[in-house]
């Protein structure tokens, strides 16, 4: 829902700011391409924008398949089950930050399956279905402000971690039992 509203607001701003001239059709085509919705679909969308606390337009989102999204939801569930909702969102953001980083693979699947990065991949817990809060957390991480752990590429639970190499990295946030690092 938030994604559709964000697209709608972005499109309205583009429409208002786009001069009406011979290039108007070209601008409409660009809006269609940028938002993956036609101008007709955007103009027919009805929403109540006043109910939103925040609309975040500038944050880039990661392109992913439905299968990768499910994988990310299952990872968040396995890594952050029992953690506060904010911590689940932050775990998803770490994965998305890695996809955006030049130091990690370029897809959600490759980041999650990278050797020795996420315990649930090695112990099989990633194969369990995601709960509703993990699904919602991934949705939030994908379509809203990622500023909570913008610079974080790592997280761990210092009480259960067997390797301490992350202790030397800068802490960006502590949420629940997880420490997030850049």
């Amino acid at each position: 829902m938030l994604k559709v509203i964000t697209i709608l607001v972005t499109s309205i701003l583009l429409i208002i700011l786009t001069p009406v001239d011979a290039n108007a059709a070209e601008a409409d085509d660009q809006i269609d391409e940028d938002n993956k919705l036609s101008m007709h679909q955007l103009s027919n969308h009805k929403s109540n924008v006043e109910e939103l606390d925040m609309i975040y337009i500038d944050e880039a989102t990661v392109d992913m398949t439905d299968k990768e999204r499910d994988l990310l939801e299952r990872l968040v569930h396995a890594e952050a089950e029992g953690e506060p909702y904010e911590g689940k969102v932050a775990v998803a953001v770490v994965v998305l930050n890695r996809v955006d980083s030049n130091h990690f693979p370029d897809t959600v699947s490759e980041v999650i399956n990278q050797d020795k990065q996420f315990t649930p991949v090695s112990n099989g817990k990633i194969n369990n279905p995601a709960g509703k809060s993990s699904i919602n957390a991934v949705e939030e991480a994908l379509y809203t402000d990622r500023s909570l752990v913008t610079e974080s590429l790592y997280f761990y639970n210092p009480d259960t971690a067997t390797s301490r190499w992350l202790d030397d990295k800068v802490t960006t946030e502590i949420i629940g039992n997880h420490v997030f690092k850049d």
Side-chain angles (χ1 to χ4, degrees), residues 76 85 87-90 92 132-142:
V76 168
Y85 178 77
K88 292 177 183 190
V89 174
K132 185 69 173 162
S133 64
S134 295
I135 292 168
N136 291 340
V138 168
E139 176 82 9
E140 188 168 329
L142 285 168

Side-chain angles (χ1 to χ4, degrees), residues 104-124:
F104 291 91
D106 295 330
T107 70
V108 169
S109 180
E110 290 172 331
V111 164
I112 291 173
N113 289 302
Q114 189 176 16
D115 193 34
K116 299 179 183 176
Q117 294 299 304
F118 298 102
T119 303
V121 173
S122 59
N123 69 18

Side-chain angles (χ1 to χ4, degrees), residues 1 5 8 45-53 55:
M1 174 71 174
I5 293 170
L8 180 62
H45 178 73
K46 294 181 173 79
S47 65
N48 188 352
V49 177
E50 297 92 43
E51 292 180 7
L52 290 179
D53 292 328
I55 297 174

Side-chain angles (χ1 to χ4, degrees), residues 85-165:
Y85 178 77
E86 183 180 52
K88 292 177 183 190
V89 174
V91 166
V93 170
V94 165
V95 173
L96 300 175
N97 289 348
R98 287 184 178 197
V99 172
D100 290 340
S101 170
N102 292 332
H103 302 291
F104 291 91
D106 295 330
T107 70
V108 169
S109 180
E110 290 172 331
V111 164
I112 291 173
N113 289 302
Q114 189 176 16
D115 193 34
K116 299 179 183 176
Q117 294 299 304
F118 298 102
T119 303
V121 173
S122 59
N123 69 18
K125 288 187 178 181
I126 195 158
N127 297 317
N128 296 333
K132 185 69 173 162
S133 64
S134 295
I135 292 168
N136 291 340
V138 168
E139 176 82 9
E140 188 168 329
L142 285 168
Y143 301 114
T144 63
D145 183 1
R146 289 197 241 165
S147 65
L148 179 64
V149 290
T150 301
E151 301 299 319
S152 298
L153 294 172
Y154 307 96
F155 65 90
Y156 72 117
N157 180 336
D159 295 334
T160 61
T162 56
S163 175
R164 305 308 300 193
W165 70 275

Side-chain angles (χ1 to χ4, degrees), residues 29-88:
D29 290 343
Q30 185 62 45
I31 292 170
D32 292 352
E33 183 180 321
D34 290 346
N35 296 295
K36 298 185 179 43
L37 289 174
S38 70
M39 289 302 294
H40 177 74
Q41 289 169 310
L42 289 169
S43 65
N44 287 329
H45 178 73
K46 294 181 173 79
S47 65
N48 188 352
V49 177
E50 297 92 43
E51 292 180 7
L52 290 179
D53 292 328
M54 172 182 70
I55 297 174
Y56 196 78
I57 295 172
D58 294 330
E59 188 64 56
T61 59
V62 174
D63 289 328
M64 71 176 74
T65 65
D66 289 342
K67 186 176 179 180
E68 285 181 310
R69 184 178 177 131
D70 176 64
L71 182 65
L72 179 56
E73 291 165 352
R74 287 184 284 121
L75 177 75
V76 168
H77 179 78
E79 284 282 7
E81 187 175 17
E83 293 295 318
Y85 178 77
E86 183 180 52
K88 292 177 183 190

